[in-house]
Amino acid sequence: MNSLLRYVTYCIFIIILSKTSAVWAFNYPVGIPDAWIPPDITAPLSPSPWTSEITNMYYIDGSSSNCSAKITYGTITKPRCTFPSLLPAGSYVEIHGGPYTYTNTAYFHSEGTKSKPVWIIGAKNNLVKMHLVLSGTYLYLDGLNIEGDKGISARPYQNRQTDHILVRNTVITGSGSFSVGTTGINANGLSGLQFEGFIAYKNTISYMGDSEVAAENDRHALTTGSYINDVWHLYNTTHHNGGDGVQYSHSGVDSHHFYYGGNTSYDEGENCVDIKQANDVIISQNTCSNIESSSSSQGSCMVVHYEPSRIWFINNDISECVYGINSSGASELHVIGNNIHGMREISGEKHPDISTYQSGVGFMAYNTGNTYISNNTITDAVHGIAYQTLPGFEADITGNIIANLRNGEFSGNNAYAIILKGDDTAVANSNIENSLFYNPIRIYVDGRIHTELATLVSSGKCNDSVNSCVTQNPSFYKDGHTLTLGSPAINAGSISSSYTVFKNLYGKEITTDILGNNRPHDGEWDIGAYEYIGKGETPKAPSGISIKTLDP
C-alpha cells in the first residue's frame, strides 16, 4: 500500500470513528462466563459541589478535626466521623482519611437493588484497620486500603439474605505474623440463605499470616465457604500469605460454580489454588509461581482434594513449584492448555525410580476419576505426567508436549515423560495420542519402560493414526515454550473431547491457546499449549468490541 493510499485510508477511518462510539466489553479469561455486571463497571461520581448534606450520600473523614458523630451524612467541610451500618438502596459512601480503628469489626448492610446498588468508595489515602463485614444485596465496594491483619467477610449477618456483592481495587496488607491475622477476602452463605453472586476484582492481598514458617497457618488471600455459588475471582494479585492464594470451600456444602481467572499468585505458604468441596470450578489464564513444600503443603502450585466434580485448569502458566497441578481426589478433571515448567524435586526425595508420587512433577493424580490432559506444554521437570489409575476410570492424554526433562537432582531418579500405572484395566483403557516426547523419550506404561516410539505403539498407545506421536526436538523459540517455524508439533495435534464437554456444560468455547490465539490457526491443531501463528502475520482483532453509530 503506497503512502497516499495509507493516508486516505487513515482519514476515512478517523472520520468513521468521529461519528461512532466504541463500547469495549469486559475481557473475561477464556471459558469464564459473564457476571451479572462487568467487574470494571464505572462507579458513580461524587456530588459536586458537596457542601451540603444529601440524603443517602455519606462523606466520611474520621481524621478531620471537623468531623462529627452527630452528622447523618456529612459534607466536605463537615464530614461524618464513622461508617454507617444500614445503607438504603442507591446509597453512596465515600471514605477519606483514617486510620479507622474505633472498633474491631465494622458492619455494612446494604438494601441495594440491581438498578439501585449501594457503593462504598475509598478516596485517595484512606486507611482502614478494622475487619469489614458486608451483608445484604447489591453492595459494591471499591478502592479501600486495609491494614492491621484485618480483612473482608461477605456473608449473611443477623439472618439477612446476602447476594450480589463486588469487592475491587482494594489493597489488604497483613503484618506477616504467624500469631495474628485472618483471611483477606472471604465469602459464604448460610443454610437457607444461599449466597449467589460475588466478585473480587483487581485486589491485592499479601502477608496475611507467615508464608515462611513451616507450621500450618491457614491465612488465605481468598476463600469461599458453604452455601455459595457463582463466584468470580478475577485479575487479583496475591503473594506471601500464610495459606493459599485461593481456597475453595473446605467442608463446603452447596458450593459450586467458581471462576478463578487472570490472577497472579506467588510465594504463598501453601498453594496458589486449593480446591476442596466445590463443584464446577474453572481455573483459567492465571500465573502461579514459587511454591515450596512445608509441614502443611506438598508444594503444589494448584491442588484438588476431596473429590469435587468438573474441575477445569485451562491455559495457566505454572512455574517453580514441587508439583504443577496435583489431584488427590476429583471425580472429573480436565487439564487443558497449561504451560508447566520448572518443577523442583524436594531435597528429601525417597520415592523409587518408577513412582507416581515422585516430586518435581508437572501433573500428578491419584485417587482421581476420569482425567483429561490435553494440549499442555510441560518442560524442566523430573516427571511430566504421573497418573495412578483407579478401577473403572481412565486417563485421556492427548496433544501434549513433554520435553527437556531432567533426572532428580537429589534422588537421581530417571526423568519420565509419563508414568501411567495402577489398575491394569484402567491403564489399558487409558489413551496416549498426538503428543510430542523429547529429551528424554522415556515412558512407563503397562508395566514396561518405553524408550522408543515403536514399542509404545505396539503396546496400543500412540496408534490412532500414522505418526500420531512425535519424538523429535519441539524446536522451541528462545523462551523455551513457544513454537518456531518447522517445529514437528505444528499441525500434528488433535482436538480433545474436553472442548465439546465444556461447551455443552457452560455454553462457552475454550478453543484458544494460552496466548489467546484461536485454535486451530490454519485448519490443523498444533501440539502443546501454544498454537503456531508465525512471524509477520496480522494479529487477531480484539474480541469483545462493538461499534454503534451515534446520531449527529
Side-chain angles (χ1 to χ4, degrees):
M1 183 182 291
N2 62 42
S3 57
L4 177 59
L5 182 57
R6 283 196 187 99
Y7 178 73
V8 172
T9 303
Y10 172 78
C11 291
I12 293 172
F13 180 68
I14 293 299
I15 291 170
I16 291 172
L17 282 186
S18 68
K19 295 184 179 180
T20 64
S21 172
V23 181
W24 293 87
F26 182 79
N27 182 27
Y28 287 92
V30 62
I32 291 182
D34 293 0
W36 74 94
I37 55 164
D40 61 351
I41 182 175
T42 302
L45 298 175
S46 302
S48 180
W50 203 340
T51 53
S52 59
E53 287 198 286
I54 305 171
T55 302
N56 296 333
M57 307 289 279
Y58 299 85
Y59 190 101
I60 315 294
D61 190 350
S63 58
S64 169
S65 59
N66 292 327
C67 81
S68 171
K70 296 180 180 180
I71 292 175
T72 303
Y73 300 113
T75 66
I76 293 175
T77 54
K78 274 200 168 181
R80 178 179 167 129
C81 293
T82 59
F83 302 163
S85 57
L86 182 62
L87 298 167
S91 293
Y92 176 88
V93 180
E94 195 169 280
I95 299 174
H96 297 254
Y100 292 90
T101 59
Y102 58 85
T103 185
N104 184 58
T105 303
Y107 296 86
F108 290 105
H109 180 71
S110 170
E111 296 177 339
T113 65
K114 187 174 183 179
S115 61
K116 292 184 177 181
V118 168
W119 283 88
I120 300 173
I121 305 294
K124 186 178 179 180
N125 298 324
N126 76 87
L127 180 57
V128 177
K129 292 190 174 183
M130 300 183 293
H131 186 77
L132 302 183
V133 174
L134 311 180
S135 64
T137 54
Y138 293 96
L139 172 59
Y140 304 159
L141 184 147
D142 188 356
L144 290 189
N145 183 26
I146 301 176
E147 294 181 1
D149 296 298
K150 305 296 183 180
I152 294 173
S153 179
R155 58 179 172 83
Y157 175 64
Q158 295 181 341
N159 290 321
R160 293 162 166 165
Q161 175 63 39
T162 295
D163 56 68
H164 297 97
I165 289 182
L166 163 70
V167 177
R168 71 181 189 189
N169 301 321
T170 289
V171 177
I172 301 176
T173 310
S175 64
S177 170
F178 174 76
S179 58
V180 297
T182 184
T183 289
I185 301 175
N186 174 67
N188 64 271
L190 292 174
S191 179
L193 294 172
Q194 185 78 15
F195 189 154
E196 179 177 341
F198 177 78
I199 301 171
Y201 169 62
K202 275 196 173 181
N203 304 288
T204 299
I205 306 170
S206 60
Y207 297 99
M208 303 300 283
D210 188 346
S211 63
E212 301 298 324
V213 70
E216 183 172 15
N217 63 132
D218 280 341
R219 278 71 183 245
H220 312 297
L222 300 161
T223 62
T224 60
S226 292
Y227 305 106
I228 184 168
N229 62 277
D230 294 341
V231 172
W232 288 262
H233 290 136
L234 303 173
Y235 301 105
N236 301 284
T237 299
T238 70
H239 62 91
H240 293 95
N241 297 288
D244 303 313
V246 64
Q247 185 180 101
Y248 283 134
S249 297
H250 191 201
S251 302
V253 178
D254 288 344
S255 303
H256 57 91
H257 291 90
F258 297 154
Y259 313 115
Y260 182 83
N263 302 283
T264 298
S265 179
Y266 59 92
D267 289 295
E268 309 290 14
E270 293 189 345
N271 318 107
C272 296
V273 175
D274 187 350
I275 303 168
K276 297 190 184 293
Q277 283 131 316
N279 298 323
D280 293 287
V281 180
I282 300 172
I283 310 296
S284 175
Q285 290 187 270
N286 304 283
T287 300
C288 170
S289 63
N290 203 27
I291 303 297
E292 299 179 355
S293 61
S294 67
S295 62
S296 59
S297 172
Q298 293 178 302
S300 301
C301 273
M302 299 184 178
V303 66
V304 185
H305 297 299
Y306 306 149
E307 301 182 8
S309 296
R310 298 173 298 280
I311 307 302
W312 301 79
F313 294 96
I314 305 172
N315 293 4
N316 300 285
D317 190 275
I318 299 170
S319 65
E320 302 301 324
C321 304
V322 178
Y323 303 94
I325 297 174
N326 177 5
S327 173
S328 67
S331 63
E332 182 183 331
L333 179 64
H334 299 260
V335 180
I336 304 171
N338 303 282
N339 182 31
I340 304 174
H341 51 107
M343 297 301 109
R344 305 184 294 259
E345 184 183 64
I346 60 173
S347 60
E349 180 58 71
K350 295 180 180 179
H351 290 103
D353 185 68
I354 304 172
S355 171
T356 51
Y357 302 103
Q358 160 83 40
S359 56
V361 180
F363 171 76
M364 180 176 76
Y366 56 95
N367 295 331
T368 297
N370 290 332
T371 302
Y372 306 84
I373 311 162
S374 310
N375 293 109
N376 303 282
T377 296
I378 303 175
T379 58
D380 190 22
V382 180
H383 292 171
I385 295 170
Y387 183 76
Q388 184 80 20
T389 62
L390 292 176
F393 299 101
E394 60 191 57
D396 182 45
I397 303 171
T398 59
N400 303 285
I401 294 178
I402 307 175
N404 301 331
L405 307 180
R406 64 184 189 282
N407 293 344
E409 53 263 55
F410 299 107
S411 69
N413 288 343
N414 287 305
Y416 287 86
I418 297 175
I419 293 182
L420 184 60
K421 59 193 298 188
D423 179 76
D424 291 342
T425 301
V427 170
N429 290 337
S430 292
N431 198 35
I432 300 175
E433 298 293 340
N434 293 99
S435 293
L436 185 153
F437 311 112
Y438 179 76
N439 190 27
I441 306 165
R442 185 180 293 112
I443 297 168
Y444 180 90
V445 64
D446 295 328
R448 180 179 178 183
I449 298 174
H450 302 272
T451 57
E452 296 180 357
L453 182 57
T455 65
L456 189 62
V457 172
S458 66
S459 74
K461 311 301 181 187
C462 290
N463 66 347
D464 276 1
S465 61
V466 176
N467 300 323
S468 169
C469 293
V470 181
T471 57
Q472 303 173 45
N473 189 328
S475 186
F476 289 133
Y477 189 62
K478 60 185 178 182
D479 61 10
H481 313 296
T482 54
L483 305 177
T484 59
L485 180 65
S487 168
I490 297 173
N491 295 341
S494 63
I495 184 169
S496 162
S497 61
S498 292
Y499 295 91
T500 300
V501 171
F502 190 96
K503 177 69 178 296
N504 290 339
L505 280 173
Y506 308 109
K508 302 268 290 188
E509 294 282 4
I510 55 172
T511 50
T512 59
D513 76 354
I514 194 168
L515 296 178
N517 300 307
N518 291 329
R519 308 191 78 157
H521 170 61
D522 54 3
E524 299 290 339
W525 281 70
D526 298 342
I527 301 175
Y530 297 86
E531 190 80 357
Y532 178 74
I533 302 300
K535 294 183 178 179
E537 296 190 26
T538 303
K540 69 172 189 173
S543 61
I545 178 173
S546 62
I547 299 179
K548 63 180 181 179
T549 302
L550 299 181
D551 294 332

